[in-house]
Short mmCIF file of all heavy atoms in Angstrom, two decimals:
data_model
loop_
_atom_site.label_atom_id
_atom_site.label_comp_id
_atom_site.label_asym_id
_atom_site.label_seq_id
_atom_site.Cartn_x
_atom_site.Cartn_y
_atom_site.Cartn_z
N LEU D 17 -110.12 63.94 187.39
CA LEU D 17 -111.05 63.23 188.26
C LEU D 17 -111.83 64.21 189.13
O LEU D 17 -111.31 65.24 189.55
CB LEU D 17 -110.29 62.24 189.15
CG LEU D 17 -109.46 61.18 188.42
CD1 LEU D 17 -108.63 60.39 189.44
CD2 LEU D 17 -110.35 60.24 187.63
N THR D 18 -113.07 63.84 189.43
CA THR D 18 -113.86 64.60 190.39
C THR D 18 -113.57 64.06 191.78
O THR D 18 -112.97 62.98 191.96
CB THR D 18 -115.36 64.46 190.09
OG1 THR D 18 -115.75 63.09 190.26
CG2 THR D 18 -115.67 64.91 188.67
N TYR D 19 -114.02 64.78 192.79
CA TYR D 19 -113.80 64.33 194.17
C TYR D 19 -114.50 63.00 194.42
O TYR D 19 -113.94 62.11 195.08
CB TYR D 19 -114.30 65.38 195.15
CG TYR D 19 -114.22 64.95 196.59
CD1 TYR D 19 -112.99 64.72 197.20
CD2 TYR D 19 -115.38 64.75 197.34
CE1 TYR D 19 -112.91 64.30 198.52
CE2 TYR D 19 -115.31 64.33 198.67
CZ TYR D 19 -114.07 64.11 199.25
OH TYR D 19 -113.99 63.69 200.56
N GLU D 20 -115.69 62.85 193.87
CA GLU D 20 -116.44 61.61 194.04
C GLU D 20 -115.70 60.43 193.42
O GLU D 20 -115.66 59.33 193.99
CB GLU D 20 -117.84 61.73 193.42
CG GLU D 20 -118.79 62.67 194.16
CD GLU D 20 -118.44 64.13 193.96
OE1 GLU D 20 -117.70 64.44 192.97
OE2 GLU D 20 -118.86 64.97 194.78
N GLN D 21 -115.12 60.64 192.24
CA GLN D 21 -114.35 59.58 191.59
C GLN D 21 -113.11 59.22 192.42
O GLN D 21 -112.74 58.04 192.51
CB GLN D 21 -113.94 60.04 190.19
CG GLN D 21 -115.08 60.10 189.19
CD GLN D 21 -114.65 60.69 187.87
OE1 GLN D 21 -113.89 61.67 187.81
NE2 GLN D 21 -115.12 60.07 186.77
N GLU D 22 -112.47 60.20 193.02
CA GLU D 22 -111.29 59.95 193.85
C GLU D 22 -111.66 59.11 195.08
O GLU D 22 -110.90 58.23 195.49
CB GLU D 22 -110.66 61.27 194.29
CG GLU D 22 -110.00 62.04 193.15
CD GLU D 22 -109.47 63.38 193.59
OE1 GLU D 22 -109.74 63.80 194.74
OE2 GLU D 22 -108.77 64.03 192.78
N VAL D 23 -112.82 59.38 195.66
CA VAL D 23 -113.27 58.61 196.82
C VAL D 23 -113.49 57.15 196.42
O VAL D 23 -113.08 56.22 197.14
CB VAL D 23 -114.57 59.21 197.40
CG1 VAL D 23 -115.16 58.27 198.46
CG2 VAL D 23 -114.30 60.59 198.00
N VAL D 24 -114.15 56.95 195.27
CA VAL D 24 -114.40 55.58 194.80
C VAL D 24 -113.08 54.85 194.56
O VAL D 24 -112.90 53.68 194.96
CB VAL D 24 -115.25 55.60 193.51
CG1 VAL D 24 -115.35 54.20 192.92
CG2 VAL D 24 -116.64 56.16 193.80
N LEU D 25 -112.14 55.52 193.90
CA LEU D 25 -110.84 54.90 193.63
C LEU D 25 -110.09 54.60 194.92
O LEU D 25 -109.43 53.56 195.04
CB LEU D 25 -110.00 55.83 192.74
CG LEU D 25 -110.47 55.98 191.29
CD1 LEU D 25 -109.65 57.06 190.57
CD2 LEU D 25 -110.36 54.66 190.53
N SER D 26 -110.19 55.49 195.90
CA SER D 26 -109.52 55.28 197.18
C SER D 26 -110.06 54.04 197.88
O SER D 26 -109.30 53.26 198.48
CB SER D 26 -109.69 56.50 198.08
OG SER D 26 -109.09 56.28 199.34
N LYS D 27 -111.36 53.84 197.80
CA LYS D 27 -111.96 52.66 198.41
C LYS D 27 -111.50 51.38 197.70
O LYS D 27 -111.26 50.35 198.34
CB LYS D 27 -113.48 52.78 198.38
CG LYS D 27 -114.02 53.86 199.30
CD LYS D 27 -115.54 53.95 199.22
CE LYS D 27 -116.08 55.01 200.19
NZ LYS D 27 -117.55 55.13 200.13
N ARG D 28 -111.38 51.47 196.38
CA ARG D 28 -110.89 50.31 195.63
C ARG D 28 -109.42 50.01 195.95
O ARG D 28 -109.01 48.85 196.04
CB ARG D 28 -111.07 50.54 194.13
CG ARG D 28 -112.53 50.49 193.66
CD ARG D 28 -112.65 50.98 192.23
NE ARG D 28 -111.76 50.25 191.32
CZ ARG D 28 -111.53 50.64 190.05
NH1 ARG D 28 -112.12 51.74 189.56
NH2 ARG D 28 -110.71 49.93 189.30
N ILE D 29 -108.63 51.07 196.12
CA ILE D 29 -107.21 50.90 196.48
C ILE D 29 -107.11 50.23 197.85
O ILE D 29 -106.25 49.36 198.08
CB ILE D 29 -106.48 52.26 196.47
CG1 ILE D 29 -106.39 52.81 195.05
CG2 ILE D 29 -105.08 52.12 197.07
CD1 ILE D 29 -105.86 54.23 194.97
N GLU D 30 -107.98 50.62 198.76
CA GLU D 30 -107.99 50.04 200.11
C GLU D 30 -108.23 48.54 200.06
O GLU D 30 -107.73 47.79 200.90
CB GLU D 30 -109.07 50.72 200.95
CG GLU D 30 -109.06 50.32 202.41
CD GLU D 30 -110.13 51.05 203.21
OE1 GLU D 30 -111.14 51.46 202.60
OE2 GLU D 30 -109.96 51.19 204.44
N GLN D 31 -108.95 48.11 199.03
CA GLN D 31 -109.25 46.69 198.86
C GLN D 31 -108.17 45.96 198.05
O GLN D 31 -108.31 44.79 197.73
CB GLN D 31 -110.61 46.53 198.16
CG GLN D 31 -111.78 47.08 198.98
CD GLN D 31 -113.08 47.12 198.20
OE1 GLN D 31 -113.10 46.71 197.03
NE2 GLN D 31 -114.15 47.58 198.83
N GLY D 32 -107.08 46.70 197.69
CA GLY D 32 -105.96 46.08 196.98
C GLY D 32 -106.07 46.14 195.47
O GLY D 32 -105.39 45.37 194.77
N ASP D 33 -106.90 47.03 194.95
CA ASP D 33 -107.09 47.16 193.50
C ASP D 33 -105.94 47.98 192.91
O ASP D 33 -105.88 49.20 193.08
CB ASP D 33 -108.43 47.83 193.21
CG ASP D 33 -108.80 47.74 191.74
OD1 ASP D 33 -107.88 47.61 190.91
OD2 ASP D 33 -110.00 47.81 191.41
N ALA D 36 -107.00 50.64 190.24
CA ALA D 36 -107.55 51.89 190.79
C ALA D 36 -106.43 52.87 191.14
O ALA D 36 -106.56 54.07 190.89
CB ALA D 36 -108.39 51.57 192.03
N ARG D 37 -105.35 52.36 191.70
CA ARG D 37 -104.22 53.23 192.03
C ARG D 37 -103.62 53.82 190.76
O ARG D 37 -103.26 55.01 190.72
CB ARG D 37 -103.16 52.45 192.79
CG ARG D 37 -101.98 53.29 193.25
CD ARG D 37 -101.01 52.47 194.07
NE ARG D 37 -100.46 51.37 193.30
CZ ARG D 37 -99.67 50.43 193.80
NH1 ARG D 37 -99.35 50.46 195.08
NH2 ARG D 37 -99.21 49.46 193.04
N GLU D 39 -105.22 54.42 187.96
CA GLU D 39 -106.15 55.43 187.46
C GLU D 39 -106.05 56.73 188.24
O GLU D 39 -106.13 57.82 187.67
CB GLU D 39 -107.58 54.89 187.53
CG GLU D 39 -107.87 53.75 186.56
CD GLU D 39 -109.28 53.21 186.73
OE1 GLU D 39 -110.09 53.85 187.43
OE2 GLU D 39 -109.58 52.14 186.14
N LEU D 40 -105.84 56.61 189.55
CA LEU D 40 -105.69 57.81 190.39
C LEU D 40 -104.43 58.58 190.02
O LEU D 40 -104.43 59.82 189.97
CB LEU D 40 -105.66 57.40 191.86
CG LEU D 40 -105.68 58.54 192.90
CD1 LEU D 40 -106.92 59.41 192.74
CD2 LEU D 40 -105.59 57.98 194.31
N VAL D 41 -103.37 57.86 189.74
CA VAL D 41 -102.11 58.49 189.33
C VAL D 41 -102.25 59.14 187.97
O VAL D 41 -101.87 60.30 187.77
CB VAL D 41 -100.96 57.45 189.32
CG1 VAL D 41 -99.71 58.04 188.64
CG2 VAL D 41 -100.63 57.00 190.73
N ASN D 44 -103.87 62.53 187.61
CA ASN D 44 -103.18 63.68 188.23
C ASN D 44 -101.79 63.92 187.65
O ASN D 44 -100.99 64.65 188.25
CB ASN D 44 -103.08 63.48 189.74
CG ASN D 44 -104.42 63.62 190.43
OD1 ASN D 44 -104.81 64.71 190.84
ND2 ASN D 44 -105.12 62.51 190.57
N LEU D 47 -100.97 67.53 187.08
CA LEU D 47 -100.58 68.28 188.28
C LEU D 47 -99.07 68.28 188.44
O LEU D 47 -98.46 69.32 188.77
CB LEU D 47 -101.24 67.65 189.51
CG LEU D 47 -100.80 68.20 190.87
CD1 LEU D 47 -101.19 69.67 191.01
CD2 LEU D 47 -101.39 67.36 192.01
N ALA D 72 -93.36 60.53 193.38
CA ALA D 72 -94.07 61.04 194.56
C ALA D 72 -95.57 60.82 194.42
O ALA D 72 -96.26 60.52 195.40
CB ALA D 72 -93.76 62.53 194.73
N LEU D 73 -96.07 60.97 193.21
CA LEU D 73 -97.50 60.78 192.96
C LEU D 73 -97.91 59.34 193.26
O LEU D 73 -98.99 59.10 193.83
CB LEU D 73 -97.81 61.13 191.50
CG LEU D 73 -99.28 61.31 191.12
CD1 LEU D 73 -99.89 62.48 191.88
CD2 LEU D 73 -99.40 61.54 189.61
N MET D 74 -97.08 58.38 192.91
CA MET D 74 -97.39 56.99 193.20
C MET D 74 -97.38 56.70 194.70
O MET D 74 -98.19 55.92 195.20
CB MET D 74 -96.39 56.08 192.46
CG MET D 74 -96.59 56.06 190.95
SD MET D 74 -95.54 54.87 190.08
CE MET D 74 -93.96 55.73 190.13
N VAL D 75 -96.43 57.33 195.42
CA VAL D 75 -96.39 57.17 196.87
C VAL D 75 -97.65 57.76 197.49
O VAL D 75 -98.28 57.16 198.38
CB VAL D 75 -95.13 57.85 197.45
CG1 VAL D 75 -95.17 57.83 198.98
CG2 VAL D 75 -93.87 57.17 196.94
N ALA D 76 -98.04 58.95 197.02
CA ALA D 76 -99.23 59.61 197.55
C ALA D 76 -100.48 58.79 197.28
O ALA D 76 -101.37 58.70 198.13
CB ALA D 76 -99.36 61.00 196.93
N ALA D 77 -100.57 58.18 196.09
CA ALA D 77 -101.74 57.37 195.75
C ALA D 77 -101.84 56.15 196.65
O ALA D 77 -102.94 55.69 196.98
CB ALA D 77 -101.66 56.94 194.28
N GLU D 78 -100.69 55.65 197.09
CA GLU D 78 -100.68 54.49 197.98
C GLU D 78 -101.13 54.87 199.39
O GLU D 78 -101.79 54.08 200.09
CB GLU D 78 -99.26 53.89 198.02
CG GLU D 78 -99.12 52.64 198.86
CD GLU D 78 -99.82 51.44 198.24
OE1 GLU D 78 -99.91 51.37 197.00
OE2 GLU D 78 -100.27 50.58 199.02
N LYS D 79 -100.79 56.08 199.82
CA LYS D 79 -101.06 56.50 201.20
C LYS D 79 -102.37 57.27 201.36
O LYS D 79 -102.87 57.42 202.47
CB LYS D 79 -99.89 57.36 201.71
CG LYS D 79 -98.57 56.60 201.80
CD LYS D 79 -97.46 57.49 202.33
CE LYS D 79 -96.16 56.71 202.48
NZ LYS D 79 -96.23 55.67 203.53
N TYR D 80 -102.91 57.77 200.27
CA TYR D 80 -104.15 58.57 200.34
C TYR D 80 -105.32 57.71 200.80
O TYR D 80 -105.45 56.54 200.45
CB TYR D 80 -104.44 59.17 198.96
CG TYR D 80 -105.73 59.94 198.88
CD1 TYR D 80 -105.87 61.17 199.51
CD2 TYR D 80 -106.82 59.42 198.17
CE1 TYR D 80 -107.06 61.88 199.43
CE2 TYR D 80 -108.01 60.13 198.08
CZ TYR D 80 -108.12 61.35 198.72
OH TYR D 80 -109.31 62.06 198.64
N HIS D 81 -106.22 58.34 201.59
CA HIS D 81 -107.43 57.64 202.07
C HIS D 81 -108.61 58.60 202.00
O HIS D 81 -108.47 59.79 202.32
CB HIS D 81 -107.22 57.14 203.50
CG HIS D 81 -108.23 56.12 203.92
ND1 HIS D 81 -109.42 56.45 204.54
CD2 HIS D 81 -108.23 54.75 203.80
CE1 HIS D 81 -110.11 55.36 204.79
NE2 HIS D 81 -109.40 54.30 204.36
N TYR D 82 -109.73 58.09 201.58
CA TYR D 82 -110.91 58.93 201.40
C TYR D 82 -111.37 59.58 202.70
O TYR D 82 -112.05 60.60 202.71
CB TYR D 82 -112.06 58.11 200.79
CG TYR D 82 -112.47 56.90 201.58
CD1 TYR D 82 -113.42 57.00 202.59
CD2 TYR D 82 -111.90 55.66 201.32
CE1 TYR D 82 -113.78 55.88 203.33
CE2 TYR D 82 -112.27 54.54 202.05
CZ TYR D 82 -113.21 54.66 203.06
OH TYR D 82 -113.58 53.55 203.78
N SER D 83 -110.96 59.02 203.84
CA SER D 83 -111.36 59.59 205.13
C SER D 83 -110.65 60.91 205.43
O SER D 83 -111.00 61.60 206.40
CB SER D 83 -111.07 58.59 206.26
OG SER D 83 -109.68 58.32 206.35
N PHE D 84 -109.65 61.28 204.61
CA PHE D 84 -108.95 62.55 204.83
C PHE D 84 -109.86 63.74 204.55
O PHE D 84 -109.56 64.87 204.93
CB PHE D 84 -107.71 62.63 203.93
CG PHE D 84 -106.64 61.62 204.27
CD1 PHE D 84 -105.60 61.39 203.37
CD2 PHE D 84 -106.66 60.90 205.46
CE1 PHE D 84 -104.61 60.46 203.67
CE2 PHE D 84 -105.67 59.98 205.75
CZ PHE D 84 -104.64 59.75 204.86
N ASN D 85 -110.96 63.49 203.80
CA ASN D 85 -111.91 64.55 203.44
C ASN D 85 -111.23 65.71 202.71
O ASN D 85 -111.49 66.89 202.99
CB ASN D 85 -112.64 65.07 204.69
CG ASN D 85 -113.57 64.02 205.28
OD1 ASN D 85 -114.20 63.26 204.55
ND2 ASN D 85 -113.63 63.97 206.61
N THR D 86 -110.34 65.39 201.81
CA THR D 86 -109.68 66.40 201.00
C THR D 86 -109.43 65.84 199.61
O THR D 86 -109.39 64.62 199.41
CB THR D 86 -108.34 66.83 201.64
OG1 THR D 86 -107.76 67.88 200.88
CG2 THR D 86 -107.36 65.66 201.70
N ARG D 87 -109.25 66.74 198.66
CA ARG D 87 -108.96 66.29 197.31
C ARG D 87 -107.60 65.62 197.26
O ARG D 87 -106.66 65.99 197.98
CB ARG D 87 -108.98 67.47 196.33
CG ARG D 87 -110.34 68.10 196.12
CD ARG D 87 -111.31 67.11 195.47
NE ARG D 87 -110.82 66.55 194.22
CZ ARG D 87 -111.08 67.10 193.03
NH1 ARG D 87 -111.82 68.20 192.92
NH2 ARG D 87 -110.62 66.53 191.92
N PHE D 88 -107.47 64.64 196.40
CA PHE D 88 -106.20 63.92 196.29
C PHE D 88 -105.10 64.87 195.83
O PHE D 88 -103.96 64.76 196.28
CB PHE D 88 -106.33 62.77 195.29
CG PHE D 88 -105.03 62.09 194.99
CD1 PHE D 88 -104.39 61.32 195.94
CD2 PHE D 88 -104.42 62.24 193.75
CE1 PHE D 88 -103.18 60.70 195.68
CE2 PHE D 88 -103.21 61.63 193.47
CZ PHE D 88 -102.59 60.85 194.43
N SER D 89 -105.41 65.81 194.95
CA SER D 89 -104.40 66.74 194.45
C SER D 89 -103.82 67.58 195.58
O SER D 89 -102.62 67.87 195.60
CB SER D 89 -105.00 67.65 193.39
OG SER D 89 -106.11 68.36 193.91
N THR D 90 -104.67 67.96 196.55
CA THR D 90 -104.19 68.73 197.71
C THR D 90 -103.23 67.90 198.55
O THR D 90 -102.19 68.38 199.01
CB THR D 90 -105.37 69.19 198.57
OG1 THR D 90 -106.28 69.94 197.76
CG2 THR D 90 -104.90 70.05 199.73
N TYR D 91 -103.58 66.62 198.75
CA TYR D 91 -102.73 65.73 199.53
C TYR D 91 -101.43 65.42 198.79
O TYR D 91 -100.35 65.42 199.38
CB TYR D 91 -103.49 64.44 199.82
CG TYR D 91 -102.66 63.39 200.53
CD1 TYR D 91 -102.40 63.49 201.90
CD2 TYR D 91 -102.15 62.30 199.84
CE1 TYR D 91 -101.64 62.54 202.55
CE2 TYR D 91 -101.38 61.34 200.49
CZ TYR D 91 -101.13 61.46 201.84
OH TYR D 91 -100.37 60.52 202.49
N ALA D 92 -101.54 65.18 197.48
CA ALA D 92 -100.36 64.79 196.69
C ALA D 92 -99.39 65.93 196.48
O ALA D 92 -98.19 65.71 196.26
CB ALA D 92 -100.80 64.24 195.33
N TYR D 93 -99.87 67.18 196.55
CA TYR D 93 -99.02 68.35 196.30
C TYR D 93 -97.79 68.35 197.22
O TYR D 93 -96.67 68.62 196.78
CB TYR D 93 -99.83 69.63 196.48
CG TYR D 93 -99.05 70.89 196.19
CD1 TYR D 93 -98.99 71.40 194.89
CD2 TYR D 93 -98.37 71.56 197.19
CE1 TYR D 93 -98.27 72.57 194.61
CE2 TYR D 93 -97.64 72.71 196.93
CZ TYR D 93 -97.60 73.21 195.64
OH TYR D 93 -96.88 74.35 195.37
N ALA D 94 -98.01 68.05 198.49
CA ALA D 94 -96.90 68.07 199.45
C ALA D 94 -95.86 67.00 199.11
O ALA D 94 -94.65 67.24 199.20
CB ALA D 94 -97.43 67.85 200.87
N TRP D 95 -96.32 65.82 198.71
CA TRP D 95 -95.40 64.76 198.34
C TRP D 95 -94.60 65.14 197.09
O TRP D 95 -93.38 64.93 197.02
CB TRP D 95 -96.18 63.46 198.07
CG TRP D 95 -96.59 62.75 199.32
CD1 TRP D 95 -97.82 62.82 199.93
CD2 TRP D 95 -95.80 61.88 200.12
NE1 TRP D 95 -97.84 62.04 201.05
CE2 TRP D 95 -96.61 61.44 201.20
CE3 TRP D 95 -94.50 61.41 200.03
CZ2 TRP D 95 -96.15 60.57 202.18
CZ3 TRP D 95 -94.03 60.53 201.00
CH2 TRP D 95 -94.85 60.12 202.06
#
Side-chain angles (χ1 to χ4, degrees):
L17 302 173
T18 64
Y19 175 65
E20 290 73 19
Q21 289 174 318
E22 290 176 352
V23 171
V24 173
L25 290 173
S26 178
K27 291 180 178 179
R28 288 170 54 191
I29 292 172
E30 187 179 25
Q31 297 171 0
D33 191 335
R37 184 177 60 186
E39 291 177 11
L40 187 59
V41 169
N44 288 271
L47 172 64
L73 194 63
M74 289 186 285
V75 173
E78 183 70 30
K79 296 181 177 294
Y80 176 71
H81 196 269
Y82 58 88
S83 63
F84 294 166
N85 292 323
T86 184
R87 293 296 305 269
F88 173 70
S89 58
T90 304
Y91 175 77
Y93 182 88
W95 282 98

